[in-house]
Amino acid sequence: DPRPRARVPEADRAEAARVLEALKLPRGARPVLVFAGNFKKFDNRWPEEKFAALLDALRARNDVAPILLSGPGEEAAVRAIAASRPVPVLGPYPIGLTAALIERAGLLVSSATGTAHLAVAVGATLVSVLGRYTRAIWMPKPGAPKHFCAVSESWTSCRDVPVEKVLAELDRALRADAAPARG
């Protein structure tokens, strides 16, 4: 089995439960972690304005609760995405707590990042935004359970992927992973 695996410490799981509970998410809404990071890799990162549009579309729904997740050194850029919309921003956190949050929420939307690989390692559902090269070489093979991809026509970049394509993959993921919200 080529899937990476990570064991999440119980203390981090307990802290993740506290963090998500403190957000007081709408009852019945599935938490959707959105990781807009990897700002140093321009072509592998979906544009900020598309992450913002995705958040706006998710906020208009009753079945999900979007949450932005920030990585180290990316707090200002992530807060800028959230600036005009009431979306919680979490992080940056140590890797154990980040893994526990992803595991507990059970669903992550991300470009090609280490955080996306962490989602796979903890068994969460992943919706990734990818260029064709990244899809072909680095991500789980087509048909891998719990991995849904919005893939660009470009071999080298994911920046042209439309928001609607990511929303369609998220809807596929939600239908396939119809487990009740764990947040």
Side-chain angles (χ1 to χ4, degrees):
D1 181 9
R3 183 174 75 86
R5 299 188 191 282
R7 286 189 23 225
V8 179
E10 286 304 319
D12 289 324
R13 282 187 173 131
E15 181 62 17
R18 284 190 290 277
V19 167
L20 289 174
E21 186 176 307
L23 294 178
K24 303 211 181 297
L25 300 175
R27 188 168 182 81
R30 171 115 186 232
V32 176
L33 295 178
V34 177
F35 185 72
N38 208 15
F39 289 92
K40 293 179 183 175
K41 293 191 172 184
F42 184 82
D43 284 325
N44 287 338
R45 181 182 44 80
W46 209 37
E48 293 91 327
E49 65 272 9
K50 290 186 178 181
F51 274 111
L54 174 70
L55 291 169
D56 290 341
L58 295 178
R59 285 184 48 244
R61 298 172 61 155
N62 294 322
D63 61 333
V64 296
I67 303 164
L68 271 169
L69 186 60
S70 175
E74 300 177 336
E75 303 88 7
V78 171
R79 291 200 187 282
I81 293 169
S84 65
R85 53 199 49 85
V87 176
V89 178
L90 298 178
Y93 295 121
I95 194 167
L97 180 52
T98 300
L101 285 164
I102 295 168
E103 179 186 62
R104 181 124 183 127
L107 181 57
L108 177 76
V109 178
S110 178
S111 300
T113 65
T115 306
H117 293 290
L118 188 58
V120 173
V122 299
T125 298
L126 172 63
V127 176
S128 56
V129 186
L130 307 170
R132 284 187 11 231
Y133 173 82
T134 305
R135 176 66 181 119
I137 303 302
W138 293 107
M139 301 308 280
K141 298 301 174 210
K146 298 184 148 206
H147 186 213
F148 301 83
C149 307
V151 182
S152 170
E153 294 298 318
S154 169
W155 182 250
T156 59
S157 177
C158 70
R159 298 187 67 79
D160 66 344
V161 173
V163 173
E164 296 75 21
K165 195 171 187 177
V166 176
L167 286 167
E169 288 302 311
L170 180 62
D171 284 337
R172 285 185 58 228
L174 289 167
R175 284 191 305 272
D177 188 23
R182 293 172 277 206

